[in-house]
Amino acid sequence: MASKIIFIMESGLSTQQVKDLLEKFGYNEIPEKKNNILLKFFKKLISPTSFMLLAASLLSLYLGKIFDFYFILILLVINIVISLWQENKADTAIRKLNENLSQKTKVKRDGNWVEIESRLLVPGDIIELSSGEIIPTDGEILDAKNISINESALTGESLPKDKKIGDKVFSGSFLSTGLAQIKVSATGKNTNFGKTVFSVERIMKKSLLEKDVLDISKFLTIFSLISVTILSVVFLLQKVSFLELLTLDLSLIIAGIPISLPTVMTLIIEFGVIALAAKNAIVRRLSSLEDLANVNYLLTDKTGTLTENKITVQDIYAYDSFNHKDVLFYANLASASNEKDALNIAIKDRAEKEHINTGNYKVKNFIPADSSRKRSTTYLLHNSEDIVLTLGAPQIVASLCKMDKKTKEMFEGHIAELAQKGDRALAIAINTKSKEEKNMHLLGLLAMSDTLRPDAKSVIKFLEENGIGVSMVTGDNRAIASKIAKELLLDDGKVIPKSVLDQTNLAKIKGDFYTSTGAFAEILPEDKLKLVERAKSLFVIASTGDGVNDLPAIKAANVGIAVKNAVGALKATADIVLLTSGIGVIRDAIIESRKIFARLYTYSLYRISESLRLIITITVLGILYKVYPLTPLQIIVLALLNDIPIISLASDRVKIATRPAKIDAKKRFGLSSLYGLVGIANSLILFFIVKNILNLDWKVIQTIYFLKLTVSGHMLIYVAHTKERWWKFLPGKSVIWATSLTQLFASLLALTGFLMPAKISLFWIIFIWIWSFGFMQITEIMKEVQKKLTSK
């Protein structure tokens, strides 16, 4: 039977009071500012791309090309609608992710403690929070047990402040230590903080990949403008109408400059985040995805990640005149004031199974355990007798006790035996003669067991095979850490305890210090921070955590991961939040991040190649032949048909890299330039044949050229999307459908002459497909040559 320990407190609000207050004050959340759909449309309309399309359409109208005017406007609207639709899908997904991150709070309602979503809190509610939990409202402390509060989100001060009864607390801060009961004074938009900290961060710093691609985009923009300037001079000398030339120049800029590149990249990332959420990993900092794809070393916690986190009391050892039931009786009393701690829950469960009845005890004071004290202290009053109970790490509790030689030997023997078995131990001590934790009487030991997860060994093997070193970091003693490390085949179970770590000059160590270590044992939060900070200079490191004391290390890591049962403060700080237990979800997250990275790489490679091909080809032909090979309308249609398959790349089938993905900007730019040069040769040779050898009609040449650029460009996607031979690893179905339908549509336009200067025969359409397919194989050969040259 559970213990009946009573805090003196108010009874809380009634259901009817809560209903009335919700109507008056609203939900405890900051309403998200939603842009009207017309406002979003208008913002898209004033973008650089839209301005250029509008200018091209107005110039067409001025030149009397009425059809071109209307058609360009229709293309503009379609482009905006597709963009808004895709962004709405991403926004909806992000909102759903935030729902998974919603915080729950313990609150007194109708005289009973219940757990509800924090958004349902109202002024007047009484809530109870423990170490690591975010304060969801403004309020006043009614009862305080050894509490300190971190207000860095409000004041910028990193050190926590001690608080007492009557002090004010504010939304967005969190408990660093202790247990508190708080009366809510303000919620939602009426709070001092005025915003939520517990959400997916869409505003993000640019990752290295994004910066790299955007730099290349700037280069292409400058290159396009130089090409347009050169062509403008050439055509003005040919007495071409200035307005007609301006229309052509605008069309070339629209097609050549990848203005939509940042938007498309963001969509790829956000759709990738949705895929990660399906794997039970929520990405809070979107730019951390690149770091996750590059992770090559993981410092993982033990409990709940490598083990089941289903802690049970396996054995109970009693000393002196105390028996098994006495130890469980007092351990249950010492656990009752902290119901959220996994060890306390295990003790309470065992007590309930054995029907331990503790009777009525009054808690006078309770000091929760923290990383420094490594014990909790409960001050009780029973039948006018003061009782002090201490529950915690055996060595700490033993140092507070007075033991005879026999008891000390038994105690040390049991500790060694439990360590050998890999069990964790808690000691319980009592003092009925004094209110101090001195000269206490050792009651006994509780052996706590947490079994390994069945998938832990296979996942670690997978990670190491894929270029990611793994070490366990734990506060457990060396024997327990060694046993688990050996079972997991973590570097033959080699363990470095805190005593050795303290004597190590981390500034001088190299990577093998980490990769040859299976586990770090007896580690305190400050030790973990030092390990992460040094590892960060040697690796791209991911680190997991669950408690508020893990915050510094999680912040310092390249990728900070909050495990399933992590406290709210850690979840609000971490880059990635796991929704299920175990290391398997970390493997899934890394795999998905590498897929996202591969899709971003493919997109940037393809888009840069296309821009180079189009800009250089038109510039060369303009200088040599004094003509534009395409009409302005054809150039704009070509740009649209090129963009449609690009959206499908967000869900493309990609091959997962077996090693962390690294940015090689020079290699990628070299490969994209190579693809572009093959495309330029393709275009110039074909143009020479149809113009100089076959002497075809100029309008027919323009239609042939349009079809060739569309078909060849889309075939390039098949080559660029994989490092293997293109036929050995085809794109995903969505990409195949998108490229096939757009190429067929372009062929239909050429066959009917719709939007084209002239129609062409079925012979020329078949010829263009064969011609493009042939050059596709040449591009494939060049890819293989480049691969061999760069591998040497």
Side-chain angles (χ1 to χ4, degrees), residues 302-303 307-317 328 341-351 353-354 418 421-426 445-452:
K302 174 178 71 72
T303 306
T307 60
E308 290 279 8
N309 197 24
K310 293 179 180 177
I311 300 174
T312 56
V313 178
Q314 293 294 318
D315 291 297
I316 299 174
Y317 303 90
L328 191 55
D341 182 85
L343 296 173
N344 291 347
I345 291 170
I347 293 170
K348 290 170 67 64
D349 287 345
R350 179 67 180 263
K353 285 180 181 178
E354 298 196 18
L418 292 174
K421 290 167 60 179
D423 288 342
R424 183 173 179 177
L426 283 179
L445 278 174
L446 299 103
M448 320 294 286
S449 178
D450 188 9
T451 56
L452 283 177

Side-chain angles (χ1 to χ4, degrees), residues 42-339:
F42 178 74
K43 285 183 177 180
K44 293 286 183 184
L45 201 60
I46 59 174
S47 69
T49 307
S50 298
F51 270 137
M52 286 189 282
L53 284 169
L54 281 171
S57 65
L58 292 173
L59 285 170
S60 297
L61 178 65
Y62 184 81
L63 295 171
K65 299 177 180 179
I66 305 300
F67 178 83
D68 289 9
F69 165 73
Y70 284 114
F71 189 78
I72 294 172
L73 284 181
I74 291 170
L75 289 183
L76 172 59
V77 172
I78 290 173
N79 190 42
I80 292 175
V81 169
I82 290 174
S83 177
L84 289 173
W85 174 59
Q86 294 288 354
E87 288 181 13
N88 182 64
K89 283 171 64 179
D91 289 341
T92 301
I94 294 295
R95 282 196 294 271
K96 287 182 178 179
L97 295 187
N98 283 327
E99 289 173 8
N100 287 324
L101 286 173
S102 62
Q103 183 184 358
K104 291 191 175 182
T105 304
K106 188 177 178 182
V107 62
K108 195 78 175 283
R109 294 277 176 87
D110 296 314
N112 299 312
W113 285 109
V114 293
E115 195 171 60
I116 65 170
E117 287 190 14
S118 297
R119 67 189 295 269
L120 300 176
L121 293 173
V122 294
D125 264 328
I126 297 170
I127 61 176
E128 185 174 282
L129 301 173
S130 57
S131 176
E133 290 191 278
I134 294 174
I135 299 174
T137 64
D138 288 357
E140 179 182 332
I141 298 175
L142 295 180
D143 198 3
K145 309 295 180 185
N146 187 37
I147 74 165
S148 61
I149 294 179
N150 187 308
E151 297 179 337
S152 58
L154 307 172
T155 64
E157 297 179 22
S158 57
L159 294 176
K161 294 180 179 178
D162 292 334
K163 296 286 185 178
K164 60 184 184 300
I165 294 173
D167 284 351
K168 303 292 185 184
V169 294
F170 303 102
S171 166
S173 53
F174 66 87
L175 266 70
S176 293
T177 59
L179 189 70
Q181 289 167 9
I182 297 167
K183 188 168 185 177
V184 176
S185 61
T187 59
K189 61 184 179 182
N190 297 318
T191 61
N192 183 66
F193 193 23
K195 68 175 182 178
T196 177
V197 298
F198 208 40
S199 61
V200 173
E201 297 177 356
R202 291 197 55 186
I203 299 174
M204 54 186 178
K205 67 179 183 182
K206 292 288 186 291
S207 68
L208 294 176
L209 177 63
E210 290 174 287
K211 287 179 180 177
D212 173 60
V213 173
L214 291 174
D215 285 343
I216 294 174
S217 297
K218 290 175 184 176
F219 164 76
L220 290 175
T221 300
I222 295 170
F223 192 72
S224 297
L225 293 174
I226 292 172
S227 298
V228 165
T229 302
I230 293 170
L231 288 173
S232 297
V233 172
V234 171
F235 283 103
L236 284 173
L237 292 175
Q238 297 297 313
K239 309 297 183 183
V240 174
S241 164
F242 176 77
L243 291 176
E244 189 166 341
L245 177 60
L246 185 58
T247 307
L248 286 165
D249 288 346
L250 277 172
S251 304
L252 180 58
I253 291 171
I254 291 167
I257 299 176
I259 298 171
S260 61
L261 187 146
T263 302
V264 175
M265 288 185 71
T266 300
L267 286 175
I268 290 175
I269 290 171
E270 291 189 350
F271 290 148
V273 168
I274 298 168
L276 276 170
K279 300 286 187 180
N280 293 308
I282 294 182
V283 180
R284 290 192 63 257
R285 179 173 65 86
L286 300 187
S287 58
S288 68
L289 280 172
E290 181 185 338
D291 291 330
L292 187 59
N294 289 324
V295 163
N296 54 9
Y297 183 68
L298 171 66
L299 265 179
T300 175
D301 280 357
K302 174 178 71 72
T303 306
T305 307
L306 299 175
T307 60
E308 290 279 8
N309 197 24
K310 293 179 180 177
I311 300 174
T312 56
V313 178
Q314 293 294 318
D315 291 297
I316 299 174
Y317 303 90
Y319 302 113
D320 290 343
S321 60
F322 297 103
N323 60 34
H324 167 109
K325 289 190 177 293
D326 292 332
V327 175
L328 191 55
F329 174 88
Y330 286 109
N332 192 25
L333 279 174
S335 303
S337 295
N338 193 355
E339 299 174 351

Side-chain angles (χ1 to χ4, degrees), residues 501-516:
L501 189 65
D502 287 342
Q503 298 172 9
T504 304
N505 186 348
L506 291 179
K508 293 183 178 181
I509 65 169
K510 296 184 179 179
D512 58 357
F513 172 82
Y514 287 93
T515 55
S516 64

